[in-house]
């Protein structure tokens, strides 16, 4: 009779931590205290524990491949998440197979998931930032290890997301702290959870300050849409501060303000969201909110590996805080 080798739960028990913490140490997660990391590594050495995912793949019929479902888009946020997922998966010894869809609806998602399952993937990550993806996720086989990224927080599926509302509150509060009486918002598409979260945080910050809450100016995610919104805002002398739902919208707004002779930040302050690589080179350099896409990817992989390893318990929802990046596009309003 074969003797069972040490398992992750044995390491966790000896180190006095959870199995999720052991998984984070094994995958190089940055948010583990050094003392805890050393204790886990000592337990691994003492027990001689070695993660053997290849052996598990032989038993389960699953490969060392993670299937990803993503919309076929060049938008900075989803594209950055996908790149981060591929990097952290490679660091953990997994390849990534990406199934791109034109629309995140039930039929498209189900078709890609079936293809992934036919190839025996170890688990599936769905980048699902729109409402139409929800019903498809609930109908997927329950035994399939699954994590959604930026999905619907109302649905009972494992989820990792950026704290969109917290980022929007930071951006809005930064403008209020500069002395602006209120902040106008150019919002993203209505069916995106990112957009809804940013509207929520913007409104919460204004209400907490007792400031007037203007009607959001609807847009899509493009610079051209931001430009059209900026043309309207530029003609409104009462507008002194604008928070846009992403940096491409901010770029369009900046162009429109420039054409109308409204100086930034002397007359109007602008804050974006995403911190695209070009944001530091806008005129003026753009103050914006930076999501930690690498942290989202690591948390998603941790949550997926917990399921793949057959572990139970732990948090099924993780929210990653973004950071406000202050540059030159915000100043006090004109006297």
């Amino acid at each position: 009779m074969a003797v069972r080798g040490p398992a992750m739960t044995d390491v966790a028990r000896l180190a006095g931590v959870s199995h999720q913490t052991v998984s984070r140490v094994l995958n190089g997660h940055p948010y583990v205290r050094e003392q805890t990391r050393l204790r886990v590594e000592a337990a691994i050495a003492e027990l001689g524990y070695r993660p053997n995912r290849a052996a598990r793949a032989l038993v389960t019929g699953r490969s060392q491949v993670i299937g990803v479902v993503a919309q076929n888009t060049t938008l900075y946020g989803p594209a950055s998440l996908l790149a981060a997922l591929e990097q952290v998966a490679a660091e953990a010894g997994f390849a990534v197979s990406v199934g791109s869809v034109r629309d995140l609806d039930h039929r498209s998602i189900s078709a890609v998931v079936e293809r992934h399952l036919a190839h025996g993937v170890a688990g599936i990550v769905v980048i699902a930032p729109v409402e139409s993806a929800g019903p498809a996720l609930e109908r997927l086989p329950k035994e399939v290890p699954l994590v959604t990224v930026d999905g619907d927080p109302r649905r009972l599926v494992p989820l990792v997301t950026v704290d969109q509302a917290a980022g929007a509150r930071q951006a809005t509060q930064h403008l209020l702290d500069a002395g602006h009486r209120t902040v106008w918002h150019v919002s993203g598409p209505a069916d995106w959870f990112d957009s809804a979260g940013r509207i929520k945080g913007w409104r919460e910050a204004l209400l907490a300050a007792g400031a007037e809450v203007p009607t959001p100016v609807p847009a899509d995610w493009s610079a051209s849409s931001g430009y059209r919104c900026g043309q309207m805002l530029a003609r409104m002398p009462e507008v002194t501060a604008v928070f846009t739902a992403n940096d491409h919208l901010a770029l369009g707004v900046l162009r429109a303000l420039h054409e109308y002779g409204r100086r930034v930040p002397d007359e109007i302050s602008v804050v974006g969201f995403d911190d695209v690589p070009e944001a530091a080179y806008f005129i003026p350099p753009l103050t914006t909110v930076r999501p930690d896409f690498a942290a989202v990817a690591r948390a998603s992989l941790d949550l997926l590996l917990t399921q793949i390893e057959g572990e139970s318990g732990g948090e099924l929802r993780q929210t990653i805080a973004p950071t406000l990046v202050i540059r030159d596009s915000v100043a006090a309003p004109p006297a």
Side-chain angles (χ1 to χ4, degrees):
M1 180 176 177
V3 178
R4 178 182 72 87
M8 187 184 295
T9 51
D10 299 320
V11 176
R13 189 179 302 110
L14 181 59
V17 299
S18 68
H19 66 272
Q20 288 93 343
T21 299
V22 177
S23 176
R24 292 187 183 100
V25 171
L26 290 170
N27 292 295
H29 199 291
Y31 303 120
V32 178
R33 289 185 299 178
E34 185 62 21
Q35 183 179 9
T36 302
R37 186 185 305 279
L38 292 173
R39 196 162 70 245
V40 170
E41 290 174 348
I44 290 172
E46 181 176 338
L47 294 172
Y49 171 73
R50 294 291 181 272
N52 192 351
R53 295 190 182 101
R56 181 177 290 276
L58 292 174
V59 173
T60 62
R62 293 188 178 124
S63 66
Q64 292 296 100
V65 177
I66 292 172
V68 176
V69 182
Q71 194 168 23
N72 184 14
T73 178
T74 57
L75 288 173
Y76 178 73
S80 298
L81 276 172
L82 182 57
L85 276 169
E86 290 179 317
Q87 181 175 342
V88 299
E91 292 170 357
F94 284 84
V96 169
S97 174
V98 180
S100 298
V101 296
R102 176 177 296 180
D103 299 303
L104 283 167
D105 54 24
H106 174 61
R107 174 178 293 182
S108 302
I109 292 175
S110 297
V112 172
V113 168
E114 286 300 323
R115 289 202 299 272
H116 282 324
L117 294 179
H119 288 89
V121 296
I124 293 175
V125 176
V126 182
I127 302 175
V130 296
E131 292 184 3
S132 59
L137 297 176
E138 289 189 341
R139 297 174 191 173
L140 295 180
K142 301 301 181 185
E143 67 275 10
V144 176
L146 170 72
V147 173
T148 60
V149 179
D150 283 347
D152 189 344
R154 299 166 299 183
R155 298 188 182 274
L156 299 177
V157 292
L159 171 67
V160 179
T161 185
V162 172
D163 195 336
Q164 311 290 348
R169 285 194 297 270
Q170 290 181 70
T172 307
Q173 190 61 52
H174 182 62
L175 290 163
L176 294 173
D177 289 344
H180 297 274
R181 292 184 176 181
T182 190
V183 178
W184 290 72
H185 180 49
V186 178
S187 65
D191 61 337
W192 280 64
F193 301 116
D194 292 4
S195 178
R198 294 168 196 180
I199 290 176
K200 179 175 181 289
W202 161 76
R203 181 177 287 116
E204 287 173 347
L206 292 179
L207 290 173
E212 176 189 355
V213 182
T215 301
V217 182
D220 57 31
W221 295 120
S222 69
S224 60
S225 181
Y227 176 72
R228 290 190 294 272
C229 295
Q231 288 178 310
M232 181 191 77
L233 294 170
R235 296 193 295 266
M236 302 168 62
E238 68 271 26
V239 176
T240 67
V242 179
F243 164 50
T244 65
N246 78 351
D247 291 348
H248 289 101
L249 288 170
L251 177 61
V253 168
L254 290 173
R255 169 67 183 271
L257 295 176
H258 173 74
E259 290 182 354
Y260 277 80
R262 301 292 300 274
R263 293 173 299 162
V264 179
D266 296 340
E267 295 179 58
I268 298 182
S269 294
V270 179
V271 175
F273 203 113
D274 275 347
D275 194 28
V276 299
E278 300 83 5
Y281 302 95
F282 289 1
I283 301 177
L286 183 67
T287 294
T288 184
V289 177
R290 177 188 295 159
D292 191 341
F293 295 117
V296 172
R298 284 190 294 267
S300 301
L301 187 65
D302 282 351
L303 195 52
L304 191 66
L305 290 179
T306 296
Q307 299 175 60
I308 292 171
E309 296 286 351
E311 306 287 352
S312 59
E315 292 292 331
L316 294 181
R317 303 293 173 92
Q318 293 196 38
T319 304
I320 307 300
T323 304
L324 181 68
V325 180
I326 298 175
R327 297 194 179 102
D328 301 334
S329 62
V330 174

